[in-house]
């Protein structure tokens, strides 16, 4: 064989009929056997597929191939076009041209074979992670009305697992965590396989793929230039790139925030005030700072809740007035919504805006003086915490200046949990009376009290009973059986809203009845919500306001805050003053300090 002949044969096998990987096209069905017979070699059987089903069922095999390819395309488009909020998951959201998909296709077509395969696999993994992030964002928006923070929110995942266990039991927690892990792995694997499959398809049909990518690119530019929309949704989008850009900026801001917070925490107007000049307007009083879980503005403003909750507040105000108490109410803006109670509590007590876990950790490892620590600094109050939601060691109690902490195990409760809530509010308040407030010959008390019965999922709910029947809490076993099932309640948003309202009513009744029953001339109660409930209840509102109220029998206590402009009674007017929750500490300490008394004297 001449060198020329050998060259022609080599050209025939690697010429136009071969694909770009250098692989010759497969011969027609009869050609391979014929060639084998002519050369005397045994025929080579066509690849049979799994158990030979592709050869036996060619039409089915082709359908599976087409279906798998379509599914791969749908997965990739979902990753690129899906929004990160549940309410935006509409058909319109998927009738768009993603710039990121067009650019990715261009890149993959331009790369050589080996780098292309690597890039396809890496792109699949990244698309899988992007999809996971969007799903996590959906959950955060549903609960916290904000996206997941890639720097600061990892600890909240552990809290979420604890919440599931406390609400649905250990079995529910295991199933939920296992489901999340399976979904995570499945998304990464499936998205990678989908990207690789689509890349192989583009490679086999390069001319068509190049033309299609070019047409889509021109269409995208045209739609952007002309502002083409479908039902107010832009056809051309770069939403994924914008989302990732926002996340990069979020990470940078999170890293900068530590330095900013340190500077803010170093400023304290009362740091050098002598103890005998602190809180002089409250000496001899029992001061109770009481947080009602999830008691947000929606409970008062929402038309479906305003009337029944307004009636509870009006009834409570009337009963307290008959007992000689007066009250004034306003609004505070919480740093969080939906969840994150500890961030709101620490904001209220520290006078700093504690909007994330990084700030909370920085605060609780610092020497910042909180409102409760200032009470202890005077030496004139015994400081205690009633924290029924705490089920483990809580070293933060010392940071907040509490001489003694009563957690869920130290209140003497022997009844059942009410979903997340370890101890019903009425029992927590009665335990405070038994353990601290009702003791004879005691010193004045400053108490931080957390009422947790209005914590989601608000099912089942306790009800107020005769205070003399509380006993050790065993009576609540029968009451729990009368309650609703959270798994059923959460199938219907309206039932969720109803149960939320009933939970707030229970907490308000428990508190006002306790004051009526046990309060005296020296009782000063400050109660407030810590944050708004989840968007299922608020209807997606981004409002973060919560009510705040001061109750006292001594008229001089309320005279000191006369210039605040708060509304008389337990319900703040819609136009009542609204402050940031971080402003309360300094305003309160000023009002009840020496200068506050001087300023209030003329008004009295």
């Amino acid at each position: 064989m001449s060198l020329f002949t050998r060259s022609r044969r080599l050209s025939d096998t690697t010429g136009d009929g071969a694909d770009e990987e250098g692989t010759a096209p497969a011969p027609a069905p009869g050609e391979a056997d014929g060639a084998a017979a002519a050369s005397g070699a045994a025929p080579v059987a066509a690849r049979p597929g799994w158990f030979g089903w592709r050869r036996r069922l060619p039409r089915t095999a082709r359908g599976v191939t087409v279906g798998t390819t379509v599914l791969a395309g749908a997965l990739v488009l979902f990753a690129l076009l899906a929004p990160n909020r549940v309410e935006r998951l509409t058909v319109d959201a998927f009738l768009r041209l993603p710039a990121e998909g067009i650019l990715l296709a261009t890149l993959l077509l331009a790369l050589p074979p080996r780098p292309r395969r690597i890039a396809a696999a890496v792109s699949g993994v990244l698309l899988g992670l992007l999809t996971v992030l969007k799903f996590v964002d959906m959950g955060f928006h549903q609960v916290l009305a904000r996206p997941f923070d890639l720097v600061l929110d990892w600890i909240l995942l552990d809290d979420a697992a604890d919440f599931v266990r406390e609400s649905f039991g250990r079995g529910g927690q295991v199933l939920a965590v296992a489901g999340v892990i399976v979904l995570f792995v499945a998304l990464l694997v499936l998205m990678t396989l989908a990207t690789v499959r689509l890349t192989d398809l583009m490679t086999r049909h390069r001319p068509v793929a190049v033309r299609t990518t070019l047409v889509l690119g021109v269409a995208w530019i045209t739609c952007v230039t002309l502002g083409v929309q479908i039902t107010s949704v832009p056809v051309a989008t770069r939403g994924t790139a914008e989302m990732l850009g926002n996340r990069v900026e979020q990470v940078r801001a999170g890293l900068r925030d530590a330095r900013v917070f340190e500077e803010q925490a170093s400023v304290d107007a009362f740091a050098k005030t002598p103890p005998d000049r602190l809180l002089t307007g409250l000496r001899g009083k029992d001061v109770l700072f009481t947080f009602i879980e999830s008691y947000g503005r929606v409970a008062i403003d929402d038309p479906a809740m305003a009337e029944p909750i307004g009636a509870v507040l009006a009834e409570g105000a009337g009963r307290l007035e008959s007992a000689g108490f007066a009250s004034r109410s306003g609004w505070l803006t919480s740093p969080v919504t939906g969840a994150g109670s500890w961030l709101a509590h620490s904001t209220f007590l520290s006078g700093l805006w504690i909007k994330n876990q990084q700030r909370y950790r920085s605060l609780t490892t610092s020497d910042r003086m909180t409102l409760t620590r200032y009470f202890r600094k005077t030496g004139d109050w015994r400081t205690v915490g009633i924290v029924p939601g705490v089920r483990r060691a809580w070293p933060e109690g010392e940071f907040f200046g509490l001489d003694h902490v009563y957690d869920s195990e130290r209140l003497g409760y022997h009844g059942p949990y009410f979903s997340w809530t370890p101890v019903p509010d009425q029992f927590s308040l009665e335990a405070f009376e038994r353990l601290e407030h009702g003791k004879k010959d005691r010193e004045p008390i400053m108490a931080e009290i957390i009422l947790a019965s209005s914590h989601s999922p608000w099912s089942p709910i306790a009800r107020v009973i005769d205070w003399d029947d509380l006993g050790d809490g065993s009576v609540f076993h029968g009451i729990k059986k009368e309650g609703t099932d959270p798994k059923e309640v959460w199938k219907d948003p309206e039932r969720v809203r109803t149960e939320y309202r009933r939970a707030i009513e229970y907490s308000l009744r428990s508190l006002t009845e306790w004051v009526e029953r046990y309060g005296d001339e020296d009782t000063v109660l400050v109660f407030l919500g810590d944050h708004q409930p989840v968007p299922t209840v608020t209807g997606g509102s981004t409002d973060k306001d919560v009510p705040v109220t001061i109750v006292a029998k001594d008229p001089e206590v309320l005279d000191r805050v006369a210039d605040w402009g708060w509304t008389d009674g337990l319900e703040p007017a819609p136009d009542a003053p609204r402050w940031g929750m971080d402003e309360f500490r300094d305003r309160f300490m000023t009002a009840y300090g020496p200068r506050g008394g001087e300023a209030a004297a003329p008004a009295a």
Side-chain angles (χ1 to χ4, degrees):
M1 180 185 297
S2 67
L3 180 61
F4 176 76
T5 303
R6 293 176 61 187
S7 298
R8 281 294 302 275
R9 290 186 176 179
L10 181 61
S11 175
D12 289 342
T13 60
T14 60
D16 295 338
D19 67 12
E20 66 171 343
E21 307 290 348
T23 303
E31 292 176 359
D33 293 343
S39 62
V44 178
R47 288 189 299 176
W50 295 338
F51 307 107
W53 73 273
R54 287 184 176 275
R55 183 173 57 190
R56 297 193 308 271
L57 304 169
R59 290 186 178 180
T60 302
R62 179 171 178 79
V64 171
T65 299
V66 172
T68 305
T69 302
V70 170
L71 179 60
L75 280 173
V76 172
L77 283 176
F78 180 86
L80 294 171
L81 293 175
N84 64 344
R85 301 183 64 165
V86 173
E87 65 271 19
R88 295 178 182 173
L89 276 173
T90 62
V91 175
D92 298 343
F94 297 94
L95 300 178
R96 298 181 294 166
L97 292 175
E100 302 82 5
I102 297 171
L103 292 174
L104 178 59
T106 302
L107 173 65
L108 292 174
L109 286 170
L111 288 174
R114 185 179 295 275
R116 181 172 59 245
R117 286 192 292 268
I118 296 173
V122 172
S123 298
V125 172
L126 293 177
L127 286 175
L129 292 174
L130 173 65
T131 307
V132 170
L133 178 59
K134 289 182 176 181
F135 282 145
V136 174
D137 274 358
M138 290 179 192
F140 267 68
H141 275 293
Q142 288 296 102
V143 177
L144 301 176
R146 65 172 177 81
F148 178 72
D149 191 311
L150 290 168
V151 175
L152 307 172
D153 281 343
W154 293 101
I155 191 173
L156 298 183
L157 300 181
D158 182 54
D159 292 334
D162 288 343
F163 173 75
V164 173
R165 184 188 71 246
E166 291 156 0
S167 298
F168 303 104
R170 181 68 177 177
Q173 180 194 33
V174 171
L175 288 175
V177 172
V180 168
I181 293 174
V182 170
L183 178 61
F184 175 78
V185 174
L187 277 173
L188 293 186
V189 172
L190 291 175
M191 205 62 71
T192 302
L193 292 175
T195 307
V196 170
R197 185 177 187 86
L198 293 178
T199 302
D200 290 342
L201 180 65
M202 290 192 300
T203 300
R204 291 197 303 271
H205 303 282
R206 173 179 286 275
V208 176
V210 170
R211 288 195 298 270
T212 302
T213 303
L214 180 61
V215 169
L216 292 176
V218 172
W220 190 91
I221 294 172
T222 303
C223 290
V224 168
T225 304
L226 299 179
V228 179
Q229 296 183 345
I230 297 179
T231 63
S232 75
V233 177
V235 172
T237 178
R238 52 178 182 273
T240 297
E242 292 174 351
M243 173 186 166
L244 294 177
N246 291 338
R247 290 315 170 84
V248 171
E249 181 55 34
Q250 182 190 63
V251 170
R252 291 175 178 171
L255 297 176
R256 290 194 305 265
D257 186 61
R259 183 176 65 255
V260 173
F261 180 71
E262 184 178 353
E263 295 173 357
Q264 294 172 346
S266 65
V267 179
D268 188 342
F270 301 94
K272 297 182 180 180
T273 303
D276 62 352
R277 302 284 290 173
L278 293 169
L279 300 162
T280 54
L282 293 172
R283 297 297 169 94
K285 304 294 186 185
D286 295 319
V287 184
L288 318 178
F289 296 106
T290 304
F291 295 91
I292 298 179
E293 175 69 37
S294 302
Y295 178 34
R297 186 163 190 154
V298 66
I300 292 174
D301 284 358
D302 188 279
M305 304 184 200
E307 184 174 348
I309 288 184
V312 171
L313 291 171
E315 177 191 357
R319 294 168 68 109
L320 292 178
E321 185 177 355
S322 298
F325 289 90
S327 54
R328 289 183 182 161
S329 302
W331 302 104
L332 299 178
T333 300
S334 175
V336 293
T337 184
S341 303
W342 63 96
L343 304 181
H345 300 171
S346 55
T347 295
F348 179 83
L349 297 174
S350 72
L352 296 170
W353 195 249
I354 312 300
K355 62 182 179 179
N356 55 49
Q357 192 66 19
Q358 176 176 272
R359 286 191 167 208
Y360 180 77
R361 287 178 172 175
S362 298
L363 171 69
T364 54
T365 54
S366 72
D367 58 359
R368 173 76 177 188
M369 292 294 291
T370 63
L371 184 55
T372 43
R373 288 180 74 179
Y374 274 123
F375 272 91
R376 185 164 74 170
K377 182 179 180 180
T378 67
D380 288 334
W381 278 275
R382 171 172 166 79
T383 59
V384 300
I386 305 297
V387 287
V390 173
R391 305 168 178 78
R392 62 185 72 173
W394 192 52
E396 291 93 334
E398 175 60 29
F399 167 76
F400 286 111
L402 301 177
D403 295 324
H404 192 82
V405 172
Y406 295 93
D407 58 23
S408 60
E409 300 298 321
R410 299 180 182 180
L411 293 174
Y413 181 66
H414 295 282
Y417 275 33
F418 281 78
S419 191
W420 183 88
T421 308
V423 184
D425 291 346
Q426 187 183 10
F427 189 94
S428 295
L429 290 167
E430 178 67 20
F432 171 59
E433 176 66 22
R434 169 172 41 85
L435 296 168
E436 290 286 346
H437 186 264
K439 290 183 176 179
K440 296 181 179 180
D441 301 324
R442 60 171 175 77
E443 58 188 322
I445 296 172
M446 187 241 64
E448 178 187 357
I449 302 173
I450 313 297
L451 299 183
S453 289
S454 50
H455 192 292
S456 63
W458 311 301
S459 173
I461 304 167
R463 56 178 171 81
V464 177
I465 61 175
D466 190 304
W467 292 79
D468 294 328
D469 294 337
L470 287 170
D472 65 357
S474 299
V475 65
F476 285 102
H477 283 287
I479 294 174
K480 181 178 180 178
K481 292 179 181 178
E482 301 170 2
T484 54
D485 182 347
K487 294 188 289 296
E488 294 300 319
V489 167
W490 279 82
K491 293 177 181 178
D492 181 0
E494 284 307 311
R495 290 193 65 187
V496 173
R497 289 163 56 82
T498 298
E499 294 303 293
Y500 165 77
R501 173 183 58 77
R502 292 179 58 223
I504 295 296
E505 291 173 0
Y506 169 73
S507 296
L508 290 171
R509 284 198 175 97
S510 297
L511 183 58
T512 54
E513 286 192 18
W514 183 90
V515 176
E516 179 189 20
R517 182 180 177 90
Y518 296 116
D520 57 30
E521 292 285 345
D522 293 327
T523 300
V524 178
L525 169 67
V526 180
F527 75 90
L528 67 153
D530 49 14
H531 55 71
Q532 287 263 61
V534 296
T536 303
V537 177
T538 63
S541 170
T542 58
D543 189 299
K544 294 184 178 180
D545 291 351
V546 298
V548 57
T549 300
I550 297 180
V551 179
K553 183 174 285 191
D554 185 347
E556 292 185 8
V557 172
L558 294 182
D559 286 344
R560 283 178 171 259
V561 297
D563 61 344
W564 285 6
W566 283 16
T567 308
D568 288 338
L570 302 182
E571 180 178 344
D575 59 349
R578 181 171 65 114
W579 307 334
M581 194 174 278
D582 57 331
E583 298 178 50
F584 184 86
R585 189 203 75 158
D586 286 7
R587 287 179 180 266
F588 185 87
M589 293 189 66
T590 299
Y592 293 105
R595 288 185 298 172
E598 294 166 5

